[in-house]
Amino acid sequence: MENKERRVGTVSRGVRCPIIREGDDLSVIVTDSVIEASRSEGFSLRDRDVIAVTESIVARAQGNYASVDDIAADVRAKLGGETVGVIFPILSRNRFAICLRGIARGAKKIVLMLSYPSDEVGNELVSLDALDEAGVDPYADVLSLEKYRALFGENRHPFTGVDYVAYYGDLIREEGAEAEIIFANRPAAILDYADRILTCDIHTRKRTKRILKAAGAKVVLGLDDILNAPVNGSGCNETYGLLGSNKSTEEKIKLFPRNAQPLVEAIQKNILDKTGAKVEVMIYGDGAFKDPQGKIWELADPVVSPFHTSGLIGTPNELKLKYLADNDYKDLSGDALKEAISKSIREKDGDLKGSMASQGTTPRQLTDLIGSLCDLTSGSGDKGTPVVLVQGYFDNYTND
C-alpha cells in the first residue's frame, strides 16, 4: 500500500457530553464521551493527544457552590461589617456583580474604587481620548462620582449596554449598604476613605496587597481570601477563594474547582486502559487572549488551567520554519528544502531559548496556549461541548 504523507496538523474537536449534575463521575463520563466521539467520527486516539475539560463542569460535579449569604458572613467576619473599601473589581454581571452583592450584604458602607479608563481585563469606563481632552491624569487623579459624571457623563458597555457605575452603585444600595464611588488607580488612594480593604483585582492582587499593607491599612484581603474555607457548609476554594467564580443563580455562585488533580490523572489512566494511548489531560477556564475590537482581555480566571497532567508542564520548543527557509536555506527549494528543514527539526536543541531560529514562536506556557485554543473551541454558550480533544499539537513538520 502506498505510504501517504500526512496532510493534517493540529485538530481541535468539541466533544458533546451529557448535562453534568452534582455528584456525577466525570472520570467515567469524559472517558466514555471521548471514546464514543472517536468511534462516531472515525478517528483514533494517539499518545500526547490532549483531553481538556472545562472548569465549569468540574465545579458542578463537585457541588462547589456558595450563597450570597455565605459571602456576606465571611466578609462580615473578616472585615468587620462596617465600612469596607472595595477596590479594582472587574466590570461583569457574571463574574463580579453577585460577589459585590454578598460583600455589600456583609457591610454597612461600601466605598467602591474603580480603576479607569478601564478595568483590569479591558472593560472601558471612559476612553483614553476623553481623558486627554479633559486633562485628567489617570495615574494621579482621584475622581469622585460627581466629577466623573460631570466630565464624562454616562458610559455604557459597548457589548452589554450596561452602565456599570450606576449598576454597581444600585446593587450596593439594594443590599442595604451605603455606597460611595470613586475612580483611582493608586491602591493607597482608598485609605482616605476606609482602612479595611478588599482588593478585587485578579492578576495584580499580590502587588496591590503589598502596597496597601505598607501604606498602613488596618485589614487587607483579596477575593482569594473570601470563601477560602467553607462557611456554614458552603463550597470553597482554598487557593483562589472567590476568584474564578461565576454566577449560578441570583443567590448562588459556582466557585472555581478544587482538588481536581486526581480527576485528570484518572481520565488519563482510563484512556490508557481502554485504548492504549497515553493522553494528556487538563482542566481549563478562560483562555488567555485579548479581543482586538473591544480591547477586552478574556482571562478573568486566576489561571487558565488549575489542574493538568505532567506532560503539559513547560513551554513550546519550536523552530520558526519561515526563518529557516528565508535564512539558513534560502538557496534551496522543493524536496531539498523540505529535507533540510526536517533535518533541522529532528536535530534541534532541547532548549531553543534565545536562538534566532526560534524567534517569533509563542513564548507562553503550554497550558495557556492549549487552554486558549480549547476555550475558543468550546465557546461560552450553547455548543454543548464542555470537553475538547486536541490532536497533533505536539507534532511537527517531520511527523508522518
Side-chain angles (χ1 to χ4, degrees), residues 62-94:
Q62 291 177 339
N64 200 19
Y65 293 90
S67 70
V68 172
D69 282 338
D70 296 329
I71 298 171
D74 212 23
V75 167
R76 192 178 299 111
K78 292 175 176 176
L79 288 153
E82 297 293 326
T83 298
V84 177
V86 175
I87 72 171
F88 300 155
I90 64 171
L91 308 176
S92 171
R93 294 169 297 175
N94 174 44

Side-chain angles (χ1 to χ4, degrees), residues 44-73:
S44 299
L45 297 174
R46 301 192 296 265
D47 289 350
R48 299 216 77 188
D49 286 352
V50 180
I51 296 173
V53 184
T54 186
E55 59 83 20
S56 63
I57 66 168
V58 178
R60 194 183 309 153
Q62 291 177 339
N64 200 19
Y65 293 90
S67 70
V68 172
D69 282 338
D70 296 329
I71 298 171

Side-chain angles (χ1 to χ4, degrees), residues 270-289:
N270 289 349
I271 294 291
L272 181 62
D273 290 346
K274 292 192 174 191
T275 71
K278 187 177 181 183
V279 301
E280 303 297 340
V281 183
M282 64 185 288
I283 293 166
Y284 70 97
D286 278 345
F289 50 83

Side-chain angles (χ1 to χ4, degrees), residues 14-316:
V15 176
R16 290 184 176 174
C17 295
I19 301 298
I20 304 301
R21 297 295 188 191
E22 182 175 346
D24 285 349
D25 188 341
L26 279 185
S27 66
V28 172
I29 292 172
V30 171
T31 300
D32 290 348
S33 296
V34 170
I35 291 174
E36 287 167 11
S38 72
R39 290 171 180 161
S40 171
E41 296 298 311
F43 61 86
S44 299
L45 297 174
R46 301 192 296 265
D47 289 350
R48 299 216 77 188
D49 286 352
V50 180
I51 296 173
V53 184
T54 186
E55 59 83 20
S56 63
I57 66 168
V58 178
R60 194 183 309 153
Q62 291 177 339
N64 200 19
Y65 293 90
S67 70
V68 172
D69 282 338
D70 296 329
I71 298 171
D74 212 23
V75 167
R76 192 178 299 111
K78 292 175 176 176
L79 288 153
E82 297 293 326
T83 298
V84 177
V86 175
I87 72 171
F88 300 155
I90 64 171
L91 308 176
S92 171
R93 294 169 297 175
N94 174 44
R95 289 287 192 170
F96 185 71
I98 193 163
C99 295
L100 181 58
R101 190 173 293 282
I103 295 163
R105 196 174 292 183
K108 290 183 179 177
K109 179 178 180 179
I110 298 294
V111 182
L112 183 66
M113 189 170 92
L114 301 173
S115 57
Y116 73 100
S118 64
D119 70 6
E120 180 183 3
V121 297
N123 294 293
E124 195 174 84
L125 282 174
V126 59
S127 71
L128 282 169
D129 289 334
L131 289 184
D132 292 343
E133 187 176 337
V136 171
D137 180 355
Y139 299 103
D141 295 343
V142 178
L143 306 179
S144 66
L145 177 59
E146 292 72 25
K147 182 71 170 176
Y148 168 83
R149 290 298 193 199
L151 288 172
F152 309 117
E154 181 185 80
N155 292 277
R156 293 185 175 272
H157 193 283
F159 293 158
T160 66
V162 174
D163 176 357
Y164 278 96
V165 176
Y167 178 58
Y168 280 177
D170 290 344
L171 191 153
I172 292 166
R173 287 183 285 271
E174 285 171 13
E175 293 300 328
E178 183 184 347
E180 182 174 1
I181 300 176
I182 61 172
F183 303 79
N185 291 304
R186 290 182 298 105
I190 191 63
L191 298 181
D192 290 335
Y193 302 83
D195 59 7
R196 295 171 184 267
I197 313 301
L198 179 61
T199 183
C200 302
D201 45 347
I202 305 160
H203 307 290
T204 54
R205 63 188 185 276
K206 291 181 181 178
R207 175 178 182 268
T208 302
K209 288 180 185 181
R210 172 176 56 79
I211 290 171
L212 287 168
K213 289 173 182 176
K218 185 175 289 185
V219 178
V220 179
L221 299 176
L223 287 180
D224 52 332
D225 300 306
I226 305 300
L227 286 184
N228 57 358
V231 173
N232 301 320
S234 73
C236 69
N237 190 296
E238 295 86 348
T239 305
Y240 299 117
L242 285 176
L243 293 175
S245 63
N246 294 84
K247 180 179 180 178
S248 175
T249 70
E250 294 302 322
E251 286 288 323
K252 190 165 72 169
I253 61 166
K254 176 193 64 59
L255 297 159
F256 214 43
R258 56 195 287 250
N259 303 332
Q261 191 62 31
L263 172 62
V264 296
E265 292 172 2
I267 295 171
Q268 183 183 57
K269 182 179 185 304
N270 289 349
I271 294 291
L272 181 62
D273 290 346
K274 292 192 174 191
T275 71
K278 187 177 181 183
V279 301
E280 303 297 340
V281 183
M282 64 185 288
I283 293 166
Y284 70 97
D286 278 345
F289 50 83
K290 185 173 182 177
D291 169 40
Q293 186 66 36
K295 307 296 187 290
I296 298 168
W297 188 32
E298 177 71 9
L299 188 56
D301 285 325
V303 290
V304 173
S305 177
F307 303 99
H308 49 266
T309 51
S310 59
L312 295 174
I313 296 171
T315 59

